[in-house]
Amino acid sequence: MARNGSGRPPGEPRAIGYLYVLPAFLLYAGFALFPLGRAVQLSFYDWDGQTLGTWAGLRNYTDVFTDPILRGAFGHTLVLILFFALLPVAIGLLLASILNRARVRGLGFFRTVVFLPQVIAMVVIAIAWKQIYDPTSGFGPVRGWLGDYSLALPAVGLIGTWFEIGLATVLLLAGMSRIPRELYEAARLDGAGPVREFFAVTLPSVRGEIAVALTLTIIAALKTFDLIYMTTKGSPGTTTLVPSYIVFDRAFRTNQVGSAAAVGVTLTVLIFAISFLVNRIGDRSTS
Amino acid sequence: MIGRGERAANYVILVAFAIFALYPIGKIVAIALGPADSGSGGGILGVHPGNFVDAWQTGHFGSYLRTSLLVSVIVVVVSVLCSILAGYALGMLRFRGADALFYLFLIGMMMPNEVIVVPLYYDLRSVHLTDTIWAVVLPQIAQSIAFGTYWMRAYFRAGNRSMVEAARLDGANSWRTLWSVLVPLGRPAIVTLTLLVFMWTWNEFLIPLVMVTKDSLQTAPLGLAFFQGQHTSATTLLAAAACLVATPIVVLYAFLQRHFIAGMLEGAVRE
């Protein structure tokens, strides 16, 4: 590699930078950006994956709003957001504020344990939970939930809650540990109990972390695929059908590639919009 | 400061959630160690470690785990190397257009697999690359590079400019500065990145599911899914196999949990 940029002040643009980015950029552009563009292109066609596609205009996108199956799937995602994002963040707030307020013995151990689900493959998690929901040998109160029309979606959601609690707790705990101790001392001098202390001091200080936790967990809810594939495949009926499973099903099973691409692009746009929005709200409240 | 009642309530809540977190994991381990599906004996003190041998051999999980290891190592080596170079360029060399490129990489960090896997499958099929290891590895390298570039750029931006200046005054060019000064100093950041990419690749399901049908190319999570589909009654073997698939990452996590937690938290917080 030739010597470059000598005699320039540091921080000056250095053309050699292009060479360093090149390998990463080629791989990334070829196998991520280009397919993204192709997905957008495919989404405007009717294509069965074999013969020549025909131009469909925006129909694959209007289907997202009019096709009852697709609309239902996006509706299920809203329910999953409750279980994957809102519940874990609420529980995470409780657990983190306990850990932060009372200097609990075994904090490190607890953190390790609640975070553990995050590192286990979703396929393995699904297998474990299927045993818990098993109609004959499962855990008493939740036995047979995955096969029940009204309980299957909450049952899948509960797995998400279990999975995301650790992430939310650890993230919020990190934020709480940065709150100056004096704020708590002042609150206690004012006679605040644990509840008032939480609403007056803790909650306002971790808004940024709440925003990050919500972004991550909402995106996880939108992307739920492995879990549905392994537990219900959308059944019973279509009660647990979600957009990402429809993408897979239409692209590789029922040969509606254009529609699959449109659902995928819609999902991507939603994810970008949510990250952007939640972060804007987080920024405004932390500054 | 904290009353005894509150203290007791705190412990009850924490213990309850610890049990909740561990229960499904304990359940699957218990099933894996239980009596075999065929009902044959051979247990030691009521546990049956032979189930793991069965999963390894008759369940083909030895082969699936080897494939997973191969795939993960390729993805880790290529993407970490590329990310170091790209992060260095975007974080320290700051050429024209560096910021625009950075935002381009950010897109890949948020983009769901579902959207790219559809065109990737059909395009790779038309060049006869599906059902090869490249179809599994290349898309995952691309995604890991997006995160890795973001991650390494953050390290290089926070990096020690005066050390770089000193190296440059000693006559080191940008390549030497990177490998002899910055990379050794950045070992913690690189270790974290390596662990995260390894975990994500090891646990990845959708890409191998779409790209591969050949038995010899199936990764461990894929093997689990197919095994579940084919042997609905072989619960013990399935549980044992599931434990085998989870164990490598859980062991890494047990020893290097700071890296995992810090990486997954900091990686999430955009600047």
Side-chain angles (χ1 to χ4, degrees):
Chain A
M1 197 106 353
R3 212 174 144 190
N4 196 326
S6 53
R8 284 183 212 214
E12 191 81 336
R14 308 183 71 200
I16 199 170
Y18 294 112
L19 270 183
Y20 282 94
V21 194
L22 196 64
F25 183 74
L26 287 180
L27 283 163
Y28 171 67
F31 295 94
L33 279 185
F34 176 72
L36 181 64
R38 286 276 289 144
V40 173
Q41 185 196 14
L42 282 177
S43 71
F44 292 111
Y45 285 86
D46 277 329
W47 188 42
D48 60 5
Q50 304 285 342
T51 54
L52 219 55
T54 53
W55 178 256
L58 285 171
R59 206 185 50 249
N60 288 327
Y61 287 99
T62 50
D63 275 357
V64 172
F65 300 98
T66 53
D67 179 350
I69 291 180
L70 273 175
R71 256 196 357 220
F74 278 97
H76 298 154
T77 303
L78 287 180
V79 179
L80 289 186
I81 287 174
L82 171 73
F83 282 98
F84 274 68
L86 300 183
L87 262 179
V89 169
I91 295 170
L93 276 170
L94 171 74
L95 296 179
S97 54
I98 288 176
L99 293 168
N100 186 51
R101 180 177 146 85
R103 293 203 177 74
V104 185
R105 237 184 283 169
L107 186 150
F109 176 74
F110 183 79
R111 215 171 65 133
T112 308
V113 166
V114 290
F115 198 79
L116 179 61
Q118 286 281 322
V119 306
I120 298 178
M122 200 38 104
V123 174
V124 172
I125 289 170
I127 289 171
W129 276 87
K130 268 189 92 167
Q131 296 305 317
I132 291 173
Y133 288 130
D134 189 90
T136 50
S137 62
F139 179 66
V142 298
R143 200 173 283 169
W145 276 24
L146 285 175
D148 186 293
Y149 271 82
S150 52
L151 290 173
L153 191 58
V156 171
L158 186 63
I159 304 175
T161 308
W162 175 82
F163 180 70
E164 300 290 2
I165 283 177
L167 182 73
T169 306
V170 173
L171 197 60
L172 293 166
L173 185 60
M176 288 181 195
S177 65
R178 285 192 287 268
I179 302 173
R181 285 277 139 199
E182 299 84 67
L183 286 181
Y184 286 110
E185 278 153 26
R188 279 173 208 180
L189 283 178
D190 286 345
V195 176
R196 255 191 58 204
E197 187 182 291
F198 173 78
F199 284 104
V201 180
T202 310
L203 198 57
S205 312
V206 292
R207 280 199 191 154
E209 281 77 12
I210 292 175
V212 172
L214 282 177
T215 313
L216 287 179
T217 50
I218 290 174
I219 290 176
L222 286 167
K223 296 206 303 193
T224 315
F225 172 79
D226 308 9
L227 188 56
I228 297 292
Y229 182 93
M230 288 298 290
T231 53
T232 64
K233 293 197 160 70
S235 71
T238 56
T239 50
T240 59
L241 204 56
V242 293
S244 57
Y245 191 79
I246 290 183
V247 173
F248 174 77
D249 199 46
R250 294 197 172 172
F252 305 114
R253 296 272 166 80
T254 61
N255 300 326
Q256 301 164 271
V257 182
S259 171
V263 177
V265 172
T266 308
L267 212 52
T268 309
V269 170
L270 267 178
I271 287 173
F272 282 20
I274 288 169
S275 329
F276 183 73
L277 269 178
V278 179
N279 283 324
R280 280 294 288 274
I281 296 165
D283 281 346
R284 200 181 308 146
S285 53
T286 45
S287 60
Chain B
M1 297 285 262
I2 292 171
R4 285 180 66 183
E6 193 197 329
R7 185 172 297 262
N10 285 346
Y11 277 107
V12 168
I13 293 171
L14 293 179
V15 168
F17 276 100
I19 291 172
F20 179 52
L22 287 176
Y23 178 73
I25 299 162
K27 173 121 183 162
I28 197 99
V29 173
I31 295 172
L33 289 170
D37 306 298
S38 52
S40 61
I44 308 154
L45 300 170
V47 297
H48 300 68
N51 296 333
F52 293 107
V53 180
D54 284 350
W56 187 275
Q57 288 167 349
T58 50
H60 294 282
F61 277 90
S63 150
Y64 299 147
L65 290 165
R66 268 195 300 277
T67 305
S68 270
L69 187 66
L70 178 67
V71 167
S72 303
V73 167
I74 296 175
V75 172
V76 164
V77 170
V78 177
S79 64
V80 169
L81 275 176
C82 288
S83 301
I84 290 174
L85 296 178
Y88 178 53
L90 296 179
M92 202 152 253
L93 301 177
R94 292 202 191 140
F95 49 93
R96 205 177 309 275
D99 283 336
L101 263 178
F102 171 67
Y103 286 111
L104 217 51
F105 279 108
L106 268 190
I107 293 175
M109 255 182 83
M110 291 193 285
M111 186 170 64
N113 272 344
E114 283 79 358
V115 72
I116 57 165
V117 85
V118 177
L120 265 175
Y121 171 79
Y122 288 103
D123 287 345
L124 289 175
R125 192 185 64 176
S126 66
V127 291
H128 307 290
L129 273 179
T130 48
D131 235 349
T132 66
I133 195 162
W134 303 111
V136 182
V137 157
L138 288 168
Q140 297 195 76
I141 288 176
Q143 282 217 314
S144 305
I145 281 177
F147 176 79
T149 300
Y150 165 86
W151 180 257
M152 291 315 299
R153 173 182 177 268
Y155 159 70
F156 286 116
R157 271 166 76 95
N160 197 332
R161 292 228 150 238
S162 57
M163 296 273 297
V164 177
E165 282 312 301
R168 196 176 294 163
L169 288 176
D170 283 347
N173 58 24
S174 64
W175 183 257
R176 278 258 313 276
T177 310
L178 172 64
W179 294 107
S180 58
V181 179
L182 291 166
V183 166
L185 280 174
R187 222 175 49 203
I190 295 168
V191 169
T192 303
L193 177 63
T194 304
L195 286 171
L196 289 181
V197 171
F198 185 80
M199 175 182 74
W200 287 328
T201 312
W202 184 271
N203 291 348
E204 173 62 34
F205 180 61
L206 180 63
I207 288 174
L209 173 70
V210 169
M211 296 297 176
V212 154
T213 52
K214 241 188 256 167
D215 199 57
S216 64
L217 284 173
Q218 285 179 19
T219 59
L222 197 56
L224 269 183
F226 289 159
F227 188 88
Q228 183 189 247
Q230 285 157 4
H231 312 269
T232 40
S233 59
T235 311
T236 308
L237 211 56
L238 180 66
C243 292
L244 286 179
V245 175
T247 299
I249 307 291
V250 171
V251 169
L252 282 175
Y253 171 70
F255 288 103
L256 299 160
Q257 53 150 311
R258 270 173 202 288
H259 282 285
F260 279 94
I261 294 180
M264 289 167 78
L265 297 193
E266 285 164 31
V269 187
R270 83 269 107 73
E271 34 190 64

